[in-house]
Protein backbone atom coordinates (compact mmCIF):
# COMPACT_ATOMS: atom_id res chain seq x y z
CA UNK A 1 0.00 0.00 0.00
CA UNK A 2 1.44 3.37 -0.95
CA UNK A 3 3.39 4.78 1.95
CA UNK A 4 1.37 7.68 3.19
CA UNK A 5 -0.25 7.38 6.61
CA UNK A 6 -0.21 5.26 9.77
CA UNK A 7 -0.52 1.33 9.59
CA UNK A 8 -2.06 -1.94 8.27
CA UNK A 9 -1.39 -4.66 8.59
CA UNK A 10 -3.17 -16.84 35.54
CA UNK A 11 -4.98 -30.84 53.49
CA UNK A 12 -4.30 -27.17 54.47
CA UNK A 13 -0.82 -26.97 55.97
CA UNK A 14 -0.47 -26.46 59.70
CA UNK A 15 0.41 -22.83 58.99
CA UNK A 16 -0.38 -20.68 55.89
CA UNK A 17 2.40 -20.60 53.32
CA UNK A 18 2.93 -16.90 53.93
CA UNK A 19 3.91 -17.64 57.54
CA UNK A 20 6.59 -20.19 56.60
CA UNK A 21 10.07 -18.71 56.30
CA UNK A 22 11.73 -18.89 52.90
CA UNK A 23 14.43 -21.24 54.25
CA UNK A 24 11.89 -23.55 55.89
CA UNK A 25 9.71 -23.57 52.81
CA UNK A 26 12.64 -24.34 50.57
CA UNK A 27 13.78 -27.18 52.83
CA UNK A 28 10.30 -28.64 53.12
CA UNK A 29 9.74 -28.26 49.40
CA UNK A 30 12.96 -30.09 48.68
CA UNK A 31 12.06 -32.85 51.14
CA UNK A 32 8.62 -33.16 49.57
CA UNK A 33 10.17 -33.36 46.11
CA UNK A 34 12.65 -35.99 47.27
CA UNK A 35 9.80 -38.17 48.49
CA UNK A 36 8.27 -38.23 45.02
CA UNK A 37 9.44 -41.03 42.72
CA UNK A 38 12.07 -39.67 40.33
CA UNK A 39 10.09 -40.61 37.26
CA UNK A 40 6.87 -38.96 38.38
CA UNK A 41 4.43 -38.64 35.48
CA UNK A 42 2.97 -35.23 34.68
CA UNK A 43 0.69 -33.97 31.94
CA UNK A 44 1.73 -31.51 29.30
CA UNK A 45 -0.46 -29.08 27.35
CA UNK A 46 -1.17 -31.59 24.63
CA UNK A 47 -2.36 -34.15 27.15
CA UNK A 48 0.57 -36.50 26.60
CA UNK A 49 2.22 -38.06 29.63
CA UNK A 50 5.87 -37.13 30.13
CA UNK A 51 8.17 -38.43 32.88
CA UNK A 52 9.91 -35.68 34.88
CA UNK A 53 13.16 -36.23 36.74
CA UNK A 54 12.72 -32.93 38.62
CA UNK A 55 9.08 -32.95 39.77
CA UNK A 56 9.48 -29.98 42.14
CA UNK A 57 10.66 -27.76 39.30
CA UNK A 58 8.00 -29.20 37.01
CA UNK A 59 5.22 -28.52 39.51
CA UNK A 60 6.48 -25.01 40.21
CA UNK A 61 6.21 -24.22 36.52
CA UNK A 62 2.79 -25.88 36.30
CA UNK A 63 1.53 -23.62 39.12
CA UNK A 64 2.89 -20.52 37.40
CA UNK A 65 1.33 -21.51 34.07
CA UNK A 66 -2.00 -22.19 35.77
CA UNK A 67 -2.01 -18.79 37.48
CA UNK A 68 -1.03 -17.11 34.22
CA UNK A 69 -4.00 -18.72 32.45
CA UNK A 70 -6.56 -17.35 34.91
CA UNK A 71 -8.21 -13.94 34.97
CA UNK A 72 -7.72 -13.62 38.75
CA UNK A 73 -5.97 -15.08 41.83
CA UNK A 74 -6.69 -18.64 43.00
CA UNK A 75 -6.96 -20.39 46.38
CA UNK A 76 -4.18 -22.90 47.09
CA UNK A 77 -6.78 -25.67 47.45
CA UNK A 78 -8.11 -24.93 43.97
CA UNK A 79 -4.58 -24.97 42.55
CA UNK A 80 -3.97 -28.36 44.17
CA UNK A 81 -7.22 -29.74 42.76
CA UNK A 82 -6.64 -28.36 39.28
CA UNK A 83 -3.16 -29.86 39.06
CA UNK A 84 -3.80 -33.06 41.01
CA UNK A 85 -1.14 -32.24 43.61
CA UNK A 86 -1.12 -32.70 47.43
CA UNK A 87 -2.19 -29.50 49.17
CA UNK A 88 0.86 -29.59 51.47
CA UNK A 89 3.20 -29.67 48.45
CA UNK A 90 1.35 -26.78 46.84
CA UNK A 91 1.62 -24.68 50.01
CA UNK A 92 5.37 -25.34 50.22
CA UNK A 93 5.96 -24.46 46.57
CA UNK A 94 3.84 -21.33 46.85
CA UNK A 95 5.86 -20.30 49.91
CA UNK A 96 9.12 -20.50 47.98
CA UNK A 97 7.65 -18.68 44.99
CA UNK A 98 6.23 -15.96 47.25
CA UNK A 99 9.62 -15.47 48.95
CA UNK A 100 11.13 -14.96 45.50
CA UNK A 101 8.42 -12.64 44.23
CA UNK A 102 6.89 -14.97 41.65
CA UNK A 103 3.53 -15.17 43.43
CA UNK A 104 1.70 -12.74 45.65
CA UNK A 105 -0.34 -13.98 48.65
CA UNK A 106 -3.52 -11.95 49.08
CA UNK A 107 -4.06 -12.59 52.82
CA UNK A 108 -7.58 -11.16 53.03
CA UNK A 109 -8.81 -13.28 50.12
CA UNK A 110 -6.61 -16.30 50.93
CA UNK A 111 -5.69 -16.49 47.27
CA UNK A 112 -2.53 -16.40 45.22
CA UNK A 113 -1.76 -14.38 42.12
CA UNK A 114 1.30 -13.69 40.02
CA UNK A 115 3.99 -11.53 41.63
CA UNK A 116 6.35 -8.82 40.45
CA UNK A 117 9.07 -11.29 39.44
CA UNK A 118 6.64 -12.94 37.03
CA UNK A 119 5.87 -9.49 35.59
CA UNK A 120 9.60 -8.84 35.19
CA UNK A 121 9.90 -12.06 33.20
CA UNK A 122 7.08 -10.88 30.97
CA UNK A 123 8.78 -7.54 30.45
CA UNK A 124 12.06 -9.26 29.61
CA UNK A 125 10.20 -11.43 27.11
CA UNK A 126 8.91 -8.30 25.39
CA UNK A 127 12.32 -6.62 25.38
CA UNK A 128 13.86 -9.60 23.63
CA UNK A 129 11.28 -9.22 20.82
CA UNK A 130 10.61 -12.96 20.42
CA UNK A 131 7.69 -12.43 18.08
CA UNK A 132 9.77 -10.35 15.70
CA UNK A 133 12.78 -12.68 15.88
CA UNK A 134 10.71 -15.84 15.35
CA UNK A 135 8.29 -14.32 12.88
CA UNK A 136 10.66 -12.55 10.49
CA UNK A 137 12.25 -15.65 8.88
CA UNK A 138 8.85 -17.33 8.67
CA UNK A 139 7.39 -14.32 6.86
CA UNK A 140 10.41 -14.15 4.59
CA UNK A 141 9.83 -17.79 3.57
CA UNK A 142 6.15 -17.05 2.94
CA UNK A 143 7.03 -14.08 0.74
CA UNK A 144 9.46 -16.23 -1.26
CA UNK A 145 6.68 -18.74 -1.94
CA UNK A 146 3.77 -16.43 -2.76
CA UNK A 147 5.61 -13.44 -4.25
CA UNK A 148 3.56 -10.95 -2.24
CA UNK A 149 4.43 -8.76 0.75
CA UNK A 150 3.74 -9.97 4.30
CA UNK A 151 3.70 -8.41 7.75
CA UNK A 152 3.24 -9.21 11.45
CA UNK A 153 1.16 -6.96 13.68
CA UNK A 154 0.07 -6.81 17.33
CA UNK A 155 -2.91 -5.11 18.96
CA UNK A 156 -2.14 -1.78 20.62
CA UNK A 157 -5.28 -0.27 22.10
CA UNK A 158 -7.75 -0.02 19.21
CA UNK A 159 -4.91 0.00 16.68
CA UNK A 160 -2.67 -2.62 15.20
CA UNK A 161 1.05 -1.95 15.45
CA UNK A 162 3.24 -3.44 12.74
CA UNK A 163 6.40 -5.10 14.08
CA UNK A 164 7.66 -6.95 10.97
CA UNK A 165 7.36 -6.21 7.27
CA UNK A 166 8.78 -8.40 4.53
CA UNK A 167 8.33 -6.75 1.14
CA UNK A 168 8.18 -8.89 -1.95
CA UNK A 169 10.48 -8.11 -4.84
CA UNK A 170 9.04 -5.72 -7.40
CA UNK A 171 5.96 -5.01 -5.28
CA UNK A 172 4.77 -1.50 -4.35
CA UNK A 173 5.71 0.17 -1.08
CA UNK A 174 3.05 -0.28 1.61
CA UNK A 175 1.93 1.81 4.56
CA UNK A 176 2.68 -1.10 6.86
CA UNK A 177 6.24 -0.19 7.79
CA UNK A 178 7.53 -1.33 11.16
CA UNK A 179 6.22 1.00 13.88
CA UNK A 180 3.16 2.15 11.90
CA UNK A 181 -0.26 1.98 13.53
CA UNK A 182 -3.67 1.63 11.88
CA UNK A 183 -7.24 1.30 13.23
CA UNK A 184 -7.72 -2.43 13.83
CA UNK A 185 -11.31 -2.52 12.49
CA UNK A 186 -10.08 -1.39 9.07
CA UNK A 187 -7.32 -3.97 8.63
CA UNK A 188 -7.25 -7.69 8.03
CA UNK A 189 -4.61 -8.02 10.76
CA UNK A 190 -6.77 -6.19 13.26
CA UNK A 191 -9.90 -8.10 12.33
CA UNK A 192 -8.10 -11.44 12.75
CA UNK A 193 -7.00 -10.44 16.26
CA UNK A 194 -10.37 -8.95 17.24
CA UNK A 195 -12.18 -12.09 16.10
CA UNK A 196 -10.05 -14.17 18.51
CA UNK A 197 -10.87 -11.91 21.47
CA UNK A 198 -13.90 -12.38 23.75
CA UNK A 199 -16.84 -10.37 22.43
CA UNK A 200 -16.96 -8.39 25.68
CA UNK A 201 -13.39 -7.26 25.08
CA UNK A 202 -14.22 -6.11 21.56
CA UNK A 203 -17.22 -4.22 22.86
CA UNK A 204 -15.03 -2.50 25.46
CA UNK A 205 -12.66 -1.40 22.69
CA UNK A 206 -15.53 -0.06 20.58
CA UNK A 207 -18.06 1.43 23.03
CA UNK A 208 -19.63 3.96 20.64
CA UNK A 209 -19.63 5.36 17.12
CA UNK A 210 -16.76 7.72 17.92
CA UNK A 211 -14.43 4.71 18.17
CA UNK A 212 -14.80 4.05 14.43
CA UNK A 213 -12.74 5.99 11.90
CA UNK A 214 -12.24 5.78 8.14
CA UNK A 215 -9.15 6.58 6.05
CA UNK A 216 -10.84 7.68 2.85
CA UNK A 217 -13.82 9.65 1.61
CA UNK A 218 -15.40 6.34 0.68
CA UNK A 219 -16.57 5.17 4.07
CA UNK A 220 -15.66 1.71 5.33
CA UNK A 221 -18.61 -0.71 5.62
CA UNK A 222 -17.55 -1.22 9.25
CA UNK A 223 -18.38 2.04 10.97
CA UNK A 224 -20.55 0.82 13.86
CA UNK A 225 -20.39 -2.01 16.38
CA UNK A 226 -23.19 -4.11 14.85
CA UNK A 227 -21.34 -4.20 11.52
CA UNK A 228 -18.05 -5.05 13.21
CA UNK A 229 -19.64 -7.82 15.28
CA UNK A 230 -21.27 -9.35 12.22
CA UNK A 231 -18.01 -9.20 10.26
CA UNK A 232 -16.03 -10.82 13.10
CA UNK A 233 -18.57 -13.66 13.20
CA UNK A 234 -17.74 -14.32 9.54
CA UNK A 235 -14.01 -14.26 10.32
CA UNK A 236 -14.50 -16.85 13.06
CA UNK A 237 -16.49 -19.08 10.74
CA UNK A 238 -13.97 -19.13 7.87
CA UNK A 239 -10.82 -18.91 10.05
CA UNK A 240 -9.18 -15.87 8.44
CA UNK A 241 -9.80 -12.15 7.97
CA UNK A 242 -9.84 -10.00 4.84
CA UNK A 243 -9.73 -6.34 3.90
CA UNK A 244 -10.69 -4.81 0.55
CA UNK A 245 -9.13 -1.42 -0.15
CA UNK A 246 -10.09 0.15 3.17
CA UNK A 247 -6.49 1.00 4.01
CA UNK A 248 -5.26 1.74 0.47
CA UNK A 249 -7.63 1.61 -2.52
CA UNK A 250 -6.85 -1.23 -4.89
CA UNK A 251 -5.04 -3.33 -2.30
CA UNK A 252 -6.45 -6.34 -0.45
CA UNK A 253 -5.16 -8.23 2.56
CA UNK A 254 -5.66 -11.63 4.16
CA UNK A 255 -4.70 -12.31 7.80
CA UNK A 256 -4.80 -15.04 10.47
CA UNK A 257 -4.29 -14.79 14.22
CA UNK A 258 -1.27 -16.06 16.17
CA UNK A 259 -2.46 -17.38 19.55
CA UNK A 260 -0.79 -18.17 22.87
CA UNK A 261 -1.17 -21.23 25.14
CA UNK A 262 -4.63 -20.19 26.32
CA UNK A 263 -5.86 -19.23 22.87
CA UNK A 264 -5.44 -15.47 23.37
CA UNK A 265 -4.49 -13.61 20.17
CA UNK A 266 -0.89 -12.44 20.40
CA UNK A 267 -0.45 -11.15 16.86
CA UNK A 268 -1.58 -11.62 13.27
CA UNK A 269 0.20 -12.69 10.11
CA UNK A 270 -1.02 -10.96 6.96
CA UNK A 271 -0.25 -10.63 3.28
CA UNK A 272 -1.13 -7.63 1.11
CA UNK A 273 -1.48 -7.55 -2.67
CA UNK A 274 -3.05 -5.70 -5.57
CA UNK A 275 -6.60 -7.04 -5.73
CA UNK A 276 -6.67 -7.19 -9.50
CA UNK A 277 -3.76 -9.66 -9.40
CA UNK A 278 -5.60 -12.26 -7.32
CA UNK A 279 -8.94 -13.72 -8.50
CA UNK A 280 -11.57 -14.16 -5.80
CA UNK A 281 -11.42 -17.95 -6.04
CA UNK A 282 -7.72 -17.85 -5.11
CA UNK A 283 -8.22 -15.95 -1.84
CA UNK A 284 -8.97 -19.13 0.19
CA UNK A 285 -5.84 -20.78 -1.25
CA UNK A 286 -3.67 -17.87 -0.14
CA UNK A 287 -5.51 -17.77 3.19
CA UNK A 288 -4.54 -21.40 3.83
CA UNK A 289 -0.87 -20.49 3.41
CA UNK A 290 -1.22 -17.52 5.76
CA UNK A 291 -3.05 -19.65 8.33
CA UNK A 292 -0.28 -22.27 8.17
CA UNK A 293 2.38 -19.69 9.01
CA UNK A 294 0.25 -18.24 11.82
CA UNK A 295 -0.25 -21.73 13.27
CA UNK A 296 3.48 -22.48 13.03
CA UNK A 297 4.33 -19.23 14.82
CA UNK A 298 1.74 -20.04 17.51
CA UNK A 299 3.49 -23.36 18.12
CA UNK A 300 6.90 -21.67 18.17
CA UNK A 301 5.81 -19.36 21.01
CA UNK A 302 4.38 -22.38 22.88
CA UNK A 303 0.87 -21.37 21.98
CA UNK A 304 -1.79 -23.33 20.21
CA UNK A 305 -3.01 -22.99 16.63
CA UNK A 306 -6.25 -21.08 16.16
Amino acid sequence: MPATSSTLSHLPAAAPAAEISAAEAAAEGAASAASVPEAKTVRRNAGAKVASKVPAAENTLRILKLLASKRGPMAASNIATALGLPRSSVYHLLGVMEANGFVLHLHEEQRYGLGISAFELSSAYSRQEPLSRLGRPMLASLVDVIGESAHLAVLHGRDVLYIVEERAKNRPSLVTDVGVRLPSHLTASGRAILAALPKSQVRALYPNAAAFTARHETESPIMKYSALSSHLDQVRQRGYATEHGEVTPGFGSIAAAVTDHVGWPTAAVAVTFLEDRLPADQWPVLAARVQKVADELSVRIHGRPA
Side-chain angles (χ1 to χ4, degrees):
M1 303 175 193
T4 42
S5 47
S6 305
T7 44
L8 248 181
S9 199
H10 170 356
L11 299 157
E19 297 176 8
I20 301 176
S21 70
E24 292 172 330
E28 291 182 31
S32 174
S35 68
V36 182
E38 187 172 322
K40 179 178 179 179
T41 297
V42 296
R43 289 189 176 273
R44 298 283 188 179
N45 285 345
K49 292 184 177 181
V50 180
S52 173
K53 294 184 178 181
V54 281
E58 182 78 36
N59 291 331
T60 297
L61 295 174
R62 292 175 69 205
I63 291 171
L64 287 171
K65 289 175 69 176
L66 177 64
L67 290 174
S69 71
K70 301 300 179 181
R71 299 297 177 86
M74 296 181 68
S77 58
N78 291 337
I79 294 173
T81 299
L83 298 179
L85 297 173
R87 290 190 186 185
S88 56
S89 297
V90 170
Y91 275 117
H92 294 320
L93 293 172
L94 286 170
V96 175
M97 286 188 278
E98 183 186 6
N100 287 276
F102 284 93
V103 300
L104 180 66
H105 185 210
L106 305 174
H107 296 270
E108 295 79 9
E109 300 181 34
Q110 288 300 299
R111 293 173 183 270
Y112 291 83
L114 293 174
I116 189 66
S117 293
F119 173 76
E120 290 171 347
L121 282 178
S122 175
S123 299
Y125 178 88
S126 298
R127 287 196 300 274
Q128 293 177 11
E129 301 180 330
L131 274 172
S132 297
R133 292 174 183 270
L134 291 171
R136 188 176 302 280
M138 298 174 74
L139 263 63
S141 295
L142 176 63
V143 169
D144 287 344
V145 171
I146 66 174
E148 301 291 353
S149 298
H151 35 267
L152 185 67
V154 296
L155 192 65
H156 193 278
R158 278 198 295 266
D159 294 339
V160 282
L161 172 66
Y162 291 88
I163 61 174
V164 174
E165 183 190 33
E166 286 293 326
R167 189 177 304 166
K169 187 177 181 179
N170 300 322
R171 289 294 181 266
S173 174
L174 306 175
V175 302
T176 51
D177 286 332
V178 173
V180 173
R181 293 170 54 163
L182 283 177
S184 59
H185 67 281
L186 295 180
T187 70
S189 297
R191 293 167 182 175
I193 295 173
L194 293 175
L197 287 174
K199 291 186 177 183
S200 58
Q201 180 80 10
V202 177
R203 186 53 165 159
L205 288 170
Y206 292 90
N208 49 48
F212 293 86
T213 58
R215 283 173 50 84
H216 310 292
E217 292 182 3
T218 303
E219 197 173 80
S220 166
I222 301 178
M223 292 300 292
K224 55 184 180 179
Y225 181 75
S226 58
L228 176 62
S229 180
S230 176
H231 184 87
L232 296 183
D233 284 340
Q234 296 175 31
V235 173
R236 296 183 191 101
Q237 289 173 9
R238 67 176 174 240
Y240 62 91
T242 61
E243 175 257 316
H244 298 268
E246 291 155 80
V247 174
T248 302
F251 284 80
S253 292
I254 294 173
V258 176
T259 52
D260 65 14
H261 65 291
V262 294
W264 193 267
T266 301
V269 172
V271 295
T272 299
F273 46 87
L274 284 163
E275 289 203 67
D276 60 10
R277 291 176 55 89
L278 189 70
D281 61 351
Q282 290 300 304
W283 283 53
V285 178
L286 181 55
R289 291 186 179 275
V290 174
Q291 182 68 68
K292 185 173 184 293
V293 174
D295 287 348
E296 290 173 350
L297 184 52
S298 295
V299 172
R300 289 291 302 277
I301 64 171
H302 294 279
R304 65 187 191 203

